[in-house]
Amino acid sequence: MSAQDWSIQEIAKLAGTTSRTLRHYDDIGLLAPSRVAENGYRHYDQAALVRLQRILLLRELGLGLPQISEVLSREGVREASALETHLAYLREEQNRLSRQIAAVESTINALKAGESLMAENMFDGFDHTRYKEEVEERWGKKAYADGDRWWRSLSADEKAEWQQRVSDLSRDWAAAAESGAAPESDEAQALAKRHVDWLTGVPGTPTSALRQAQGPNAEVKAYVTGLGEMYVADPRFGANYATADGSTRGAEFVRDALRTYAEANL
């Protein structure tokens, strides 16, 4: 690392943030300046810039500031190693998004030209198999096989309808959280019911047992409440319910509403 450093104003401009945000990061112990000049201005060296880059990357993954602080404080790895992990994830997302963009552009062009849609190309990048190992580890190989078989059996229109249903549900959850609704409110509980109904429609998940279940089902109840906890703990899923401030507030709202619904109905 060189001895070069940058003023708080320079770093705020380069990082697309504000001096106020950087001062807040300092106040909560997340990012301290490398030195404070005689005039009181904060300055940041290269090590501080690397830490700020990691903070911003974790923010984009949907983590709140307390979670980011916990992640950075508990990691016993070199910064370069941690950034390599971030880079691998970003490249994977870049590839997936590029494929999605190409698929959507192809659909738009076909619709404008009045041409037939190529169903086999429409969903490139919408790859549910990328979670195969994780699903098998959490719920078993049969759960993944059942879900995969069900998804592949759907027509292009049915897949599009299903994805729209998921998108609408995520949007409505985020809107309810932004409105300040309580998890136990009628609005939140109606969303929780929609959420469980959605899960019920996916073969292989424990909630598919709801179709035959009579009375309380401990396995399903534990699954729904556990899923809510995962939305908060795993930024990949929590990002689906992110509020405008980028915090985990939306995911926490979903978790609490699902827990309330499960306690009363499952």
Side-chain angles (χ1 to χ4, degrees), residues 236-251:
R236 294 173 303 168
F237 299 100
N240 293 323
Y241 312 107
T243 48
D245 59 4
S247 70
T248 59
R249 182 162 55 91

Side-chain angles (χ1 to χ4, degrees), residues 8-19 21-22 25 52 56:
I8 189 171
Q9 292 87 354
E10 290 174 318
I11 294 306
K13 183 178 180 179
L14 290 170
T17 186
T18 65
S19 297
T21 296
L22 294 174
Y25 288 173
L52 176 59
L56 297 179

Side-chain angles (χ1 to χ4, degrees), residues 108-119:
I108 292 172
N109 292 335
L111 290 173
K112 286 183 175 179
E115 300 173 349
S116 298
L117 297 176
M118 300 293 290

Side-chain angles (χ1 to χ4, degrees), residues 61 131 134-135 138-139 170 227 230-242 251:
L61 289 176
Y131 296 122
E134 186 170 351
V135 171
R138 287 179 182 272
W139 299 300
S170 298
L227 202 60
M230 187 176 69
Y231 292 157
V232 177
D234 192 325
R236 294 173 303 168
F237 299 100
N240 293 323
Y241 312 107

